[in-house]
């Protein structure tokens, strides 16, 4: 089972589950815990190979990662804790996993809050993925990760997010990084399906105004999925909205969750 941490609120029966992105860990939510625990029970997850879910070195060689398998990791924790239903908050690649959980187990998802959501790989991100595939066995993964972080979060006000994710990525193994990177081979058909199919689950996209790689596609999907989806854009903010603008993020998300009970 993947590693998890819980922060209970004995006055609430509502759970909020946080799912980080690739290369991060549950530590990226440190600016959310206090505000959310005041109102709800909080569950933090460390995805495979990240944070407290570090795999033994020998197991990193033999297990292929898929979005379905990673979604089942999340459900295994919910089942273990006997959480029947939860609100889910994700960032970056974590938003894809939350949507995958919702596809597989819609009755377990009370609402989805998708920060820095990835719904389509634009031309620049496709080039990044191709470069990564060419060099993933040649260059140390941290060189690639630093390059990706600067392309996705290029501005001065994105620096804290870049440093946080690079420091977390230092804890990965090279083989672990490669296994996560191989997920990009199946990402396009998965995202195409997500763009086409609207789920009957309250969904809030929280995007930075400066998240130039992913915001345009989210705008288009929200226009199409208007029955269930809303978009909140944070000004002067990049990809990792919960780190760059935590006060605005927390207030907006908590308001949405409380309206989705």
């Amino acid at each position: 089972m993947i590693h998890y941490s819980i922060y209970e609120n004995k006055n609430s029966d509502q759970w909020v589950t946080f799912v980080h992105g690739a290369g991060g860990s549950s530590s990226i939510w440190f600016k959310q815990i206090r505000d959310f625990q005041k109102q709800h029970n909080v569950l933090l997850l460390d995805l495979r190979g990240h944070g407290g879910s570090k795999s033994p070195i020998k197991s990193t060689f033999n297990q292929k990662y898929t979005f379905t398998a990673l979604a089942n990791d999340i459900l295994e924790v919910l089942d273990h804790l006997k959480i029947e239903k939860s609100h889910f908050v994700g960032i970056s690649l974590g938003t894809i996993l939350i949507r995958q959980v919702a596809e597989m187990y819609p009755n377990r998802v009370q609402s989805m809050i998708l920060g820095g959501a990835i719904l389509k790989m634009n031309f620049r991100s496709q080039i990044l993925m191709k470069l990564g595939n060419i060099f993933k066995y040649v260059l140390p993964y941290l060189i690639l990760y630093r390059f990706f972080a600067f392309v996705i979060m290029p501005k001065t006000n994105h620096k804290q997010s870049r440093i946080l994710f690079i420091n977390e990525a230092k804890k990965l193994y090279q083989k672990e990084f490669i296994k996560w990177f191989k997920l990009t081979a199946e990402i396009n058909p998965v995202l195409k399906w997500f763009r086409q199919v609207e789920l009957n689950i309250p969904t809030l996209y929280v995007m930075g105004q400066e998240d130039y790689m992913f915001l345009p596609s989210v705008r288009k999907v929200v226009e199409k999925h208007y029955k269930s989806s809303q978009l909140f854009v944070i000004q002067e903010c990049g990809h990792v909205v919960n780190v760059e603008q935590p006060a605005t993020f927390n207030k907006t998300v908590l308001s949405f969750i409380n309206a989705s009970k």
Side-chain angles (χ1 to χ4, degrees):
M1 185 184 302
I2 60 174
H3 180 265
Y4 64 87
S5 304
I6 58 174
Y7 297 83
E8 292 188 74
N9 181 326
K10 294 191 170 147
N11 297 317
S12 175
D13 62 354
Q14 301 285 305
W15 281 90
V16 182
T17 300
F18 289 85
V19 185
H20 65 80
S25 77
S26 57
S27 66
I28 70 154
W29 304 109
F30 70 99
K31 294 183 178 182
Q32 279 66 59
I33 295 170
R34 180 182 296 177
D35 286 351
F36 281 78
Q37 189 191 11
K38 287 178 183 176
Q39 300 184 36
H40 307 292
N41 298 287
V42 171
L43 171 61
L44 304 180
L45 302 174
D46 284 325
L47 300 173
R48 292 186 189 187
H50 296 70
S53 298
K54 190 71 74 178
S55 304
I57 292 177
K58 64 179 181 180
S59 72
T60 63
F61 288 86
N62 49 27
Q63 194 177 23
K64 182 185 175 184
Y65 291 178
T66 66
F67 288 113
T68 299
L70 295 167
N72 278 322
D73 286 348
I74 296 171
L75 264 294
E76 184 181 19
V77 176
L78 264 63
D79 289 343
H80 174 72
L81 296 173
K82 297 181 171 55
I83 299 173
E84 293 184 8
K85 205 166 192 177
S86 177
H87 305 274
F88 284 86
V89 181
I91 196 76
S92 195
L93 187 133
T95 65
I96 301 176
L97 298 182
I98 290 172
R99 178 59 195 263
Q100 183 69 35
V101 169
E103 289 283 342
M104 296 162 60
Y105 308 98
N107 60 314
R108 307 295 294 272
V109 181
Q110 200 159 348
S111 71
M112 297 188 288
I113 296 88
L114 309 177
I118 301 172
L119 285 176
K120 188 176 183 180
M121 306 300 284
N122 68 5
F123 178 74
R124 190 171 297 192
S125 56
Q126 296 278 11
I127 294 295
L128 274 180
M129 294 303 104
K130 287 180 180 177
L131 286 173
N133 274 310
I134 291 169
F135 292 109
K136 66 178 182 285
Y137 292 111
V138 179
L139 292 175
Y141 77 92
L142 256 178
I143 292 177
L144 284 174
Y145 200 88
R146 280 196 173 100
F147 175 66
F148 295 154
F150 271 98
V151 173
I152 295 170
M153 300 171 271
K155 294 198 171 185
T156 303
N157 56 304
H158 308 163
K159 183 177 180 180
Q160 184 184 9
S161 301
R162 283 199 309 270
I163 292 172
L164 179 63
F165 270 80
I166 289 169
N167 285 340
E168 286 299 318
K170 288 177 182 177
K171 301 170 187 176
L172 290 175
Y173 300 126
Q174 177 88 8
K175 290 286 184 182
E176 193 74 49
F177 174 83
I178 289 170
K179 288 169 74 174
W180 276 91
F181 203 88
K182 284 181 177 178
L183 273 174
T184 59
E186 64 174 278
I187 200 169
N188 284 328
V190 167
L191 294 182
K192 184 177 180 181
W193 176 258
F194 291 170
R195 293 194 303 272
Q196 291 175 342
V197 177
E198 180 176 10
L199 299 177
N200 188 28
I201 296 172
T203 303
L204 175 66
Y205 293 91
V206 185
M207 304 295 293
Q209 175 206 12
E210 298 165 351
D211 193 356
Y212 66 97
M213 287 183 72
F214 303 115
L215 177 57
S217 59
V218 170
R219 287 191 189 279
K220 291 179 182 178
V221 168
V222 171
E223 288 177 8
K224 183 181 176 185
H225 295 179
Y226 63 90
K227 292 180 183 177
S228 63
S229 298
Q230 301 175 36
L231 170 61
F232 184 85
V233 178
I234 302 179
Q235 301 301 305
E236 298 180 359
C237 185
H239 184 59
V240 191
V241 285
N242 66 299
V243 173
E244 288 185 40
Q245 299 276 2
T248 302
F249 180 86
N250 294 355
K251 180 180 178 181
T252 303
V253 173
L254 282 167
S255 176
F256 181 79
I257 287 174
N258 291 332
S260 304
K261 289 181 181 178

